Amino acid sequence: MIELHGVTKRYGESTAVDDVSFRVERGELAVLLGPSGCGKTTTLRAINRMVAIDSGEVSLAGRPVLDRSPDELRRHIGYAIQGVGLFPHMTVHRNIASVPRLLGWDKQRIDRRVTELLELVGLPAGCAFKKPRELSGGEAQRIGVARALAADPPVLLMDEPFGALDPINRERLQREFAELRRELGKTVVFVTHDIGEAVLLGDRILLMREGRLVQSNTPEGLWRSPASDFVRSFFGNEFGLRILSRHRVSDLALGAPSRNGAPRVTRATNLRDVLACMVTEGCDHVVVADEEGTIRGGLTVHDVISGIRGLS
Ligand code: ADP
Ligand code: MG
């Protein structure tokens, strides 16, 4: 779907992006991750031609982006940026409608789309007439996502879209976005320097350092087989716990339920929460109950630790 081949961008003497190549498949969410200044934003902006590259090639659905007009690219690629990036003097309605207006949609179609999008991102219809300064941080970021989705583009580029939020709202929005993205089936390139966000959202992580792509793999693949000490130390000791949070009880084979008194979880509980529950309750196992409260099996701390090694 998106292909970068030997992409290089220089600013004067320094090389912001150095010979970067990768592919993002249709429907995949790829995260560009790395320390500040490593070239993530520059790489992302090369995809929609907001940055003119010095060498290499970017193609979208098999065609070089240089063969497409900026207008056509805007129709195919939604863009949500760092901070928020809403136009402060425009209402929410006009902000969301900016690309559809550019594309010449009629008023009725735009109104319908704005209403639909507000509902999709979980905001009341009355929001449409507010100005960005009248919104909370979380509301503004939802509008940023709605605006990127406005013309229903198959591809989304997102640059730290939840960066300006407090941790609780950030995690809520991340989880909602993960659900929404699966429903909508978009191809997404997502920039972040936040390891937790990358591991939670990414089908694949493209780890960058000093303009270069260091390693690209699923979070599980990076965890099991880091290509270098840099990769290992970048993700740190918490990596295993973060991987646990990507998987649920239902991903593991259950053992026999143990004796009474063990804490209860459900098949939907994520495995990091299962471990947290064991630690909090001072118990090395849990029982797994279904929605009706019927016990379906059990898990020991050993089941979780050895099970996660085998999951992809
Ligand atoms: P990241 O998004 O990973 O933080 P960027 O892609 O924004 O990194 O920047 C990569 C490098 O390129 C940095 O050293 C940055 O200072 C430099 N850079 C980015 N944009 C410009 C620009 N317009 N002019 C000069 N240098 C730039
Ligand atoms: Mg950046």
Side-chain angles (χ1 to χ4, degrees):
M1 183 77 193
I2 301 169
E3 202 164 353
L4 275 72
H5 200 78
V7 167
T8 298
K9 174 67 183 176
R10 289 183 206 91
Y11 290 108
E13 294 292 284
S14 73
T15 307
V17 177
D18 190 1
D19 193 23
V20 165
S21 304
F22 61 81
R23 262 178 80 89
V24 182
E25 305 299 336
R26 186 181 300 273
E28 189 178 32
L29 190 153
V31 176
L32 282 168
L33 175 69
S36 180
C38 72
K40 305 179 294 294
T41 295
T42 308
T43 304
L44 190 77
R45 289 171 154 235
I47 298 171
N48 64 357
R49 289 184 59 185
M50 289 174 80
V51 158
I53 59 179
D54 292 303
S55 55
E57 190 173 73
V58 180
S59 55
L60 184 66
R63 272 176 60 202
V65 292
L66 286 177
D67 290 357
R68 298 168 185 255
S69 70
D71 252 15
E72 192 193 341
L73 285 176
R74 251 172 269 178
R75 217 172 309 148
H76 282 274
I77 305 180
Y79 185 57
I81 44 175
Q82 198 152 16
V84 171
L86 298 179
F87 305 116
H89 55 287
M90 290 186 193
T91 60
V92 163
H93 183 288
R94 278 190 79 112
N95 264 287
I96 295 178
S98 55
V99 173
R101 282 158 55 93
L102 201 83
L103 298 175
W105 291 17
D106 64 50
K107 186 179 171 318
Q108 271 182 338
R109 185 174 172 203
I110 290 178
D111 287 349
R112 234 182 304 130
R113 184 65 180 151
V114 170
T115 308
E116 195 175 282
L117 283 163
L118 286 174
E119 195 182 322
L120 191 70
V121 299
L123 290 175
C127 248
F129 306 101
K130 291 189 173 177
K131 291 279 179 63
R133 68 179 136 74
E134 299 169 284
L135 303 170
S136 72
E139 286 169 342
Q141 305 237 284
R142 285 167 200 269
I143 303 296
V145 173
R147 186 175 59 174
L149 291 169
D152 200 20
V155 174
L156 289 179
L157 305 182
M158 308 183 86
D159 194 344
E160 315 229 8
F162 310 132
L165 290 180
D166 61 88
I168 291 174
N169 274 308
R170 175 189 279 216
E171 193 174 326
R172 182 183 303 153
L173 213 53
Q174 284 166 347
R175 289 188 186 279
E176 285 179 20
F177 175 70
E179 290 286 312
L180 183 67
R181 190 295 282 188
R182 254 182 283 279
E183 268 167 45
L184 301 178
K186 304 288 182 196
T187 305
V188 185
V189 185
F190 190 108
V191 163
T192 186
H193 66 270
D194 179 328
I195 298 171
E197 182 165 83
V199 175
L200 183 73
L201 295 178
D203 296 321
R204 203 148 49 90
I205 294 177
L206 307 157
L207 181 63
M208 292 185 71
R209 180 193 195 188
E210 293 170 359
R212 300 190 137 254
L213 187 61
V214 176
Q215 192 176 2
S216 155
N217 205 334
T218 59
E220 286 76 11
L222 289 169
W223 176 55
R224 267 191 287 271
S225 318
S228 63
D229 286 344
F230 170 75
V231 178
R232 199 188 313 272
S233 70
F234 182 82
F235 285 101
N237 275 335
E238 264 196 71
F239 201 7
L241 290 174
R242 298 188 193 281
I243 294 290
L244 282 173
S245 70
R246 288 171 55 85
H247 298 276
R248 296 165 183 248
V249 169
S250 54
D251 295 338
L252 298 181
L254 299 184
S258 43
R259 55 197 174 279
N260 285 340
R264 282 190 181 199
V265 300
T266 72
R267 291 169 60 81
T269 309
N270 80 59
L271 296 178
R272 184 179 186 151
D273 286 350
V274 170
L275 273 199
C277 181
M278 290 176 183
V279 172
T280 304
E281 302 291 328
C283 197
D284 63 3
H285 58 277
V286 292
V287 294
V288 180
D290 63 19
E291 273 137 34
E292 285 75 45
T294 312
I295 306 286
R296 294 293 174 194
L299 282 178
T300 64
V301 66
H302 177 74
D303 293 335
V304 175
I305 290 169
S306 58
I308 193 72
R309 286 265 152 206
L311 293 176
S312 57

